[in-house]
């Protein structure tokens, strides 16, 4: 069996097919043909594979220990497992937790025990989607991992903290793989066009909008992108010069898409505008629809999350202060999880923000204050608010008359905090809705005689 699960008979069959009349049509898919065999061919994940990074150091040392590769689809987990196994030089077995059971797992463990007992060499087992193994199946691996007869390399798209048994987690190293960056995907495209045994024989012209569409619709999944590239090449018609021209439309057809959405075009701005206005207008259904359109069109999930952070403060504010917390958590979550699961987190946050009471009082407050800062550039800090660390400052009445709020009832005492020429200004006018209603009542109670917040509460 080779590094990627093919036995010798499979390879012989491929050799026979490759000489046939329609040899090209029987070749493995582009993603498989392009699969890196060495670390130098591998693209991306420099945070663990760059110079002096943990996995690179492990490979360079020759000491391979059990590990879990956690990352989104198409980020290179299976490929990396094959490269690691090749570097280690040990016998390698590959199974999938979806289709393999206890019997196959026990057979590999028995082989590992025999090999270790007689030859002092461990076996490597690669388990794809290990999170699909139940607790009992995972526990079968424990003894062999612990004694060193079996080196586990497992791949999962799910958080190992929740899906992998604690005893196994304590015996392995978890390496997190990130979604591939745009520059990584660009390099993969170039490698496909320049080195693939089929594509490099064709006169392919990949237009800029076609390249952008390839990357955008891939969801950072290299396998999906390469499949679409291969499909696009097969779908495209030759131009007058015999070139295969890949436009955005050709790529969309390869992805089976009919989208007018473009991250740099008018539809991009129209859609994000409709999304934000739906949130502001308290319509969760409209918000979810425009969110779905953006996600279906390959929009950057972090861009959507950033816009919700802004809205949570600008349009909801203190009417529901938790809105900002949830929006920030949403950004961190989608940045960690990536698509496709990020859609759930974005939907949860969008529907919550849409349903929240609305207030733009904080936004108006800072806008009015900034306007006054420009109108009154010479507005000075009142003397009683200034620190007085030196005798000279004290002699100039710095800090004189300042009242320490905590020394008074309810931790409040009336005094002026604005420059003299602006002392009557009210910037923040909380709305009579949500949490802001409570804030409004408190401020009126504290400042009612000096500040007019309007209305009856």
């Amino acid at each position: 069996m080779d590094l990627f699960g093919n036995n010798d008979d499979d390879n012989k069959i491929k050799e026979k097919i490759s000489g046939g009349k329609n040899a090209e049509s029987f070749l493995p898919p582009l993603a498989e043909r392009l699969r890196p065999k060495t670390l130098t061919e591998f693209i991306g994940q420099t945070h663990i594979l760059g110079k002096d990074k943990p996995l690179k150091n492990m490979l360079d040392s020759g000491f391979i220990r059990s590990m879990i590769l956690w990352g989104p689809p198409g980020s290179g987990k299976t490929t990396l497992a094959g490269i690691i196994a090749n570097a280690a030089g040990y016998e390698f077995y590959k199974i999938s937790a979806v289709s393999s059971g206890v019997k196959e797992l026990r057979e590999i463990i028995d082989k590992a025990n025999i090999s270790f007992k007689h030859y002092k060499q461990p076996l490597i087992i690669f388990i794809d989607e290990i999170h699909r193994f139940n607790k009992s199946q995972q526990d079968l691996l424990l003894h062999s991992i612990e004694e060193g007869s079996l080196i586990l390399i497992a791949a999962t798209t799910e958080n190992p903290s929740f899906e992998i048994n604690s005893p196994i987690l304590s015996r392995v190293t978890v390496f997190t793989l990130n979604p591939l960056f745009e520059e990584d995907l660009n390099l993969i495209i170039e490698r496909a066009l320049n080195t693939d045994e089929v594509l490099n024989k064709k006169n392919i012209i990949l237009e800029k909008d076609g390249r952008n569409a390839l990357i955008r619709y891939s969801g950072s999944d290299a396998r999906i992108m390469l499949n679409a590239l291969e499909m696009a090449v097969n779908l495209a018609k030759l131009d007058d010069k015999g070139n295969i021209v890949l436009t955005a439309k050709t790529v969309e057809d390869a992805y089976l898409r009919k989208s007018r959405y473009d991250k740099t075009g008018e539809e991009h701005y129209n859609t994000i505008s409709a999304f934000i206005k739906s949130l502001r207008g308290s319509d969760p259904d409209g918000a979810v629809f425009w969110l779905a359109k953006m996600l279906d069109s390959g929009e950057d999930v972090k861009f959507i999350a950033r816009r919700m952070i802004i809205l949570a403060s600008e349009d909801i504010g203190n009417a529901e202060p938790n809105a900002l917390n949830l929006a920030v958590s949403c950004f961190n979550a989608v940045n960690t999880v990536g698509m496709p699961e990020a859609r759930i987190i974005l939907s949860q946050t969008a529907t919550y923000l849409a349903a929240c009471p609305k207030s733009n009082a904080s936004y108006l407050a800072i806008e009015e204050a900034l306007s006054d800062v420009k109108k009154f550039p010479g507005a000075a800090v009142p003397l009683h608010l200034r620190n007085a660390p030196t005798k000279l400052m004290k002699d100039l009445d710095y800090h004189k008359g300042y009242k320490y709020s905590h020394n008074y009832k309810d931790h409040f005492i009336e005094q002026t905090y604005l420059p003299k020429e602006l002392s009557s200004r009210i910037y923040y006018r909380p709305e009579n809705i949500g949490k802001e209603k409570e804030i409004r009542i408190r401020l009126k109670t504290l400042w009612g005689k000096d500040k007019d917040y309007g209305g009856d509460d």
Side-chain angles (χ1 to χ4, degrees), residues 259-283:
S259 175
R260 293 175 54 222
Y261 192 97
D262 188 311
K263 287 199 329 187
T264 59
E266 180 182 352
E267 197 64 10
H268 159 76
Y269 296 106
N270 289 342
T271 307
I272 190 64
S273 176
F275 175 64
I276 294 299
K277 286 180 172 65
S278 299
L279 294 176
R280 184 182 294 135
S282 299
D283 184 357

Side-chain angles (χ1 to χ4, degrees), residues 13 44 55 58 69 74 111 160 230 237 267 274 304 349 359 361 405 414 423:
I13 291 170
L55 186 50
M58 182 189 291
L69 304 175
K111 289 178 182 178
E230 188 169 38
K237 295 180 180 178
E267 197 64 10
I304 300 172
T349 306
S359 171
S405 299
E414 289 186 28
S423 60

Side-chain angles (χ1 to χ4, degrees), residues 286-424:
V288 167
F289 175 82
W290 298 117
L291 172 62
K293 181 175 181 181
M294 289 188 287
L295 294 176
D296 184 62
S297 301
E299 181 58 87
D300 181 1
V301 293
K302 289 186 286 186
F303 166 76
I304 300 172
R306 279 195 296 268
R307 292 302 300 266
M308 287 200 287
I309 291 174
I310 297 167
L311 178 130
S313 190
E314 179 180 346
D315 294 296
I316 297 173
N318 291 326
E320 177 46 77
N322 192 51
L324 182 58
N325 293 333
L326 183 64
V328 172
S329 296
C330 172
F331 179 88
N332 292 332
V334 301
N335 189 40
T336 301
V337 173
M339 286 293 283
E341 289 80 6
R343 76 192 190 284
I344 307 167
I345 300 162
L346 290 167
S347 180
Q348 177 193 349
T349 306
T351 51
Y352 179 85
L353 298 184
C356 278
K358 303 297 188 296
S359 171
N360 66 344
S362 299
Y363 166 76
L364 294 176
I366 190 61
E367 291 302 299
E368 289 183 37
L370 285 169
S371 177
D372 275 353
V373 165
K374 291 180 173 63
K375 291 176 184 175
F376 301 91
V381 177
L383 289 174
H384 69 286
L385 296 182
R386 303 183 188 187
N387 286 330
T390 68
K391 184 177 182 302
L392 174 62
M393 289 177 171
K394 290 177 182 177
D395 291 340
L396 292 173
D397 290 339
Y398 279 36
H399 201 66
K400 184 178 181 181
Y402 172 69
K403 299 170 185 175
Y404 186 58
S405 299
H406 298 297
N407 289 339
Y408 298 88
K409 183 182 177 182
D410 296 328
H411 301 266
F412 174 79
I413 184 68
E414 289 186 28
Q415 59 187 331
T416 302
Y417 293 95
L418 282 166
K420 183 177 180 181
E421 57 269 58
L422 298 170
S423 60
S424 63

